[in-house]
């Protein structure tokens, strides 16, 4: 295949995408160069920040890949206090982050719904409605999604994890709580409520082929997402999927494949927001910056109070910074400057795609 000509066509077919996910060396450079050009033309060199608040690791679900799954008895469970969450939001607001992302294990209880609702209203109050808020709290009813939207959340991130039902069912328990259909329906509900909807997949899962990944890209395009967060799957010893560890691609290959996914998605959907995820940084120290160079335009620096971070281990070797949040931000700013990018301080950085297709 000629990479240059494969990229020139109007529509990237499943076959094209599958082949492009397998290229290496110089061909890979052609792909990355093309994606960088499209990114520069569509969303420019501004990187938007979302201060990541890992709100709670208490989860009702048992996804086979995740370190904070319900049955992992080795995990010490926590939930931030209201003050801790609001303090983190205040920090983000004062330091020009523009937005925060509140992520947690999945709970469907009145108490949880009310707590998130209260935090959203308080966040709006203490920042004069200036802070942008992304939620990533799993599958909820339409009523809950609507309530949170009305209280101030504008964006929601719910990864489809894999758009192949067959693969999805291999990485989740087979029951109603983990049903593929529920996941899809939840994405539809989010769209209906008016959120900027984000999804994504894990890359390098056991049983996953490049064809699966090509279909994932087409799924995102067809669903017409506004944002994406995707990154390498990284095994965790205290999870059921760990038994397939020997079949996994080497970490470096999972990393390269993830970069290619980001580049191809940028080509397919030039004006969406794409996050450079923490899992990339787990494999390569400057992994997030590399993703920024070839397509991503959002970063999610962790602003969870430090003493909780060891307990939010979705996967092994997740990086935990030893520096203050202020120092981390300065460092990030310099790293981005080195690659010709700047932080969009004090800007919410909403998805251009969403604005264009205003629902
Ligand atoms: N409970 C919510 C949000 C928290 S989990 C939800 O599941 O939607 C956030 C994301 O972490 C998941 O969507 C999953 O894609 C990712 N994740 C979990 N375990 C992982 C692993 N072992 N490697 C890489 N990513 C993982
Ligand atoms: Fe819970 Fe999300 Fe982890 Fe699944 S991926 S076990 S829902 S935190």
């Amino acid at each position: 295949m000629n990479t240059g000509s494969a990229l020139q066509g109007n529509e990237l077919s499943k076959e094209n995408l599958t082949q492009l996910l397998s290229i290496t060396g110089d061909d890979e450079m052609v792909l990355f160069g093309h994606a960088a050009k499209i990114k520069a033309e569509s969303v420019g060199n501004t990187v938007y920040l979302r201060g990541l608040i890992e709100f709670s690791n208490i989860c009702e679900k048992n996804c086979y890949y995740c370190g904070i799954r319900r049955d992992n008895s080795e995990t010490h469970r926590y939930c931030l206090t209201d003050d801790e969450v609001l303090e983190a939001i205040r920090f983000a607001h004062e330091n020009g982050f523009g937005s925060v992302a509140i992520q947690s294990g999945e709970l469907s209880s009145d108490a949880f719904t009310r707590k998130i609702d209260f935090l959203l209203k308080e966040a709006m109050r203490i920042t004069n409605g200036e802070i942008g808020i992304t939620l990533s709290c799993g599958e909820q009813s339409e009523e809950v999604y609507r309530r949170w939207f009305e209280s101030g959340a504008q964006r929601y991130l719910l990864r489809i994890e894999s758009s192949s039902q067959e693969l999805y069912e291999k990485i989740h328990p087979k029951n109603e709580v983990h049903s593929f259909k529920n996941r899809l329906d939840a994405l539809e509900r989010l769209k209906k409520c008016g959120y900027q909807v984000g999804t994504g997949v894990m890359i390098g899962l056991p049983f996953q082929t490049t064809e699966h990944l090509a279909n994932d890209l087409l799924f995102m395009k067809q669903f017409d997402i506004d944002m994406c967060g995707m990154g390498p799957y990284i095994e965790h010893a205290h999870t059921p999927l760990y038994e397939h560890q020997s079949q996994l691609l080497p970490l470096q290959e999972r990393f390269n494949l993830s970069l290619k996914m980001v580049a191809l998605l940028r080509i397919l959907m030039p004006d969406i927001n794409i996050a450079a995820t923490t899992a990339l940084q787990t494999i390569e120290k400057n992994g997030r910056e590399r993703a920024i160079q070839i397509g991503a335009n959002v970063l999610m620096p962790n602003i969870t109070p430090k003493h909780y971070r060891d307990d939010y281990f979705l996967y092994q070797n997740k990086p935990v910074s030893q520096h203050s949040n202020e120092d981390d931000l300065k460092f990030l700013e310099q790293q981005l400057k080195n690659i010709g990018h700047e932080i969009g301080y004090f800007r919410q950085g909403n998805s251009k795609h969403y604005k264009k297709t205003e629902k």
Side-chain angles (χ1 to χ4, degrees):
M1 180 193 55
N2 179 311
T3 305
S5 59
L7 290 169
Q8 290 318 316
N10 287 335
E11 289 288 322
L12 284 169
S13 65
K14 178 176 150 193
E15 289 67 33
N16 278 151
L17 290 168
T18 309
Q19 285 180 327
L20 287 163
L21 285 167
S22 312
I23 56 175
T24 52
D26 288 348
D27 287 332
E28 215 174 67
M29 289 307 130
V30 173
L31 166 64
F32 290 161
H34 186 64
K37 185 166 159 274
I38 289 189
K39 180 190 146 175
E41 289 163 1
S42 54
V43 293
N45 66 345
T46 305
V47 175
Y48 296 106
L49 301 180
R50 282 88 176 86
L52 177 63
I53 303 172
E54 293 164 337
F55 171 59
S56 167
N57 67 357
I58 304 171
C59 188
E60 280 167 359
K61 289 175 91 170
N62 247 329
C63 308
Y64 288 156
Y65 42 85
C66 178
I68 64 170
R69 63 197 297 274
R70 190 191 67 203
D71 288 355
N72 181 7
S73 56
E74 311 261 337
T75 295
H76 167 252
R77 305 288 165 170
Y78 74 86
C79 181
L80 300 192
T81 64
D82 294 346
D83 282 350
E84 285 167 333
V85 175
L86 296 173
E87 194 41 53
I89 291 174
R90 208 170 275 124
F91 168 84
H93 183 237
E94 283 167 5
N95 286 275
F97 276 59
S99 292
V100 293
I102 301 176
Q103 195 181 74
S104 81
E106 185 176 313
L107 286 179
S108 28
S109 69
D110 280 352
F112 183 73
T113 303
R114 272 188 269 112
K115 194 163 163 95
I116 296 287
D117 196 54
F118 169 77
L119 290 169
L120 290 167
K121 288 186 177 134
E122 280 298 287
M124 288 298 118
R125 191 181 63 78
I126 63 174
T127 67
N128 301 318
E130 285 168 7
I131 201 83
I133 304 186
T134 308
L135 287 180
S136 180
C137 302
E139 293 163 39
Q140 304 287 342
S141 67
E142 187 174 325
E143 191 191 337
V144 172
Y145 282 152
R146 180 150 293 130
R147 182 166 166 187
W148 288 345
F149 184 75
E150 283 165 5
S151 296
Q154 311 107 307
R155 320 184 185 112
Y156 207 103
L157 190 59
L158 185 76
R159 289 185 176 180
I160 189 70
E161 315 295 1
S162 168
S163 64
S164 148
Q165 178 163 358
E166 178 213 345
L167 179 52
Y168 189 92
E169 287 174 356
K170 284 189 180 150
I171 60 171
H172 294 95
K174 263 210 179 83
N175 57 38
E176 195 48 30
V177 199
H178 296 86
S179 113
F180 180 70
K181 185 173 180 305
N182 284 351
R183 196 84 178 165
L184 275 180
D185 289 350
L187 280 170
E188 293 288 357
R189 288 199 285 277
L190 288 165
K191 213 183 223 185
K192 194 169 154 202
C193 291
Y195 284 94
Q196 293 170 55
V197 181
T199 195
V201 295
M202 282 175 286
I203 299 156
L205 285 162
F207 324 115
Q208 191 181 47
T209 62
T210 43
E211 206 175 320
H212 283 128
L213 290 169
N215 279 330
D216 290 338
L217 290 169
L218 292 173
F219 168 82
M220 293 188 234
K221 170 96 179 159
Q222 189 240 329
F223 192 85
D224 200 27
I225 59 168
D226 304 297
M227 336 181 286
C228 177
M230 60 181 166
Y233 162 69
I234 299 174
E235 60 273 32
H236 188 300
H238 301 136
T239 60
L241 224 52
Y242 196 70
E243 68 176 276
H244 304 287
Q245 188 207 11
S246 62
Q247 302 159 29
L248 297 174
L249 290 173
L251 277 174
Q252 196 58 46
E253 279 181 43
R254 274 180 257 168
F255 178 85
N256 290 344
L257 198 50
S258 302
L259 286 187
K260 281 184 271 187
M261 286 288 284
V262 168
L264 288 168
L265 184 62
R266 176 58 72 198
I267 295 168
L268 281 172
M269 305 191 77
D271 58 358
I272 63 167
N273 277 346
I274 304 181
T277 55
T278 316
L280 287 164
Q281 193 191 1
T282 306
I283 302 179
E284 269 205 20
K285 221 166 142 213
N286 67 346
R288 293 183 309 173
E289 289 80 355
R290 297 221 15 223
I292 295 284
Q293 278 177 295
I294 56 93
N297 67 328
V298 166
L299 273 176
M300 300 170 75
N302 199 334
I303 57 166
T304 311
K306 292 255 148 102
H307 58 285
Y308 290 110
R309 294 195 196 172
D310 280 348
D311 292 321
Y312 200 84
F313 264 116
L314 304 172
Y315 45 82
Q316 282 171 199
N317 304 321
K318 198 174 142 222
V320 179
S321 162
Q322 299 308 322
H323 306 286
S324 73
N325 287 335
E326 286 85 352
D327 286 350
D328 278 343
L329 185 57
K330 293 235 164 61
F331 181 73
L332 196 61
E333 183 178 305
Q334 190 53 50
Q335 295 288 95
L336 291 172
K337 212 181 235 169
N338 293 345
I339 56 167
H341 282 69
E342 59 178 24
I343 292 177
Y345 282 116
F346 296 100
R347 290 170 64 187
Q348 288 191 353
N350 288 311
S351 167
K352 240 174 136 176
H353 185 75
Y354 177 85
K355 285 192 206 146
K356 209 185 279 170
T357 56
E358 202 77 63
K359 282 130 197 165

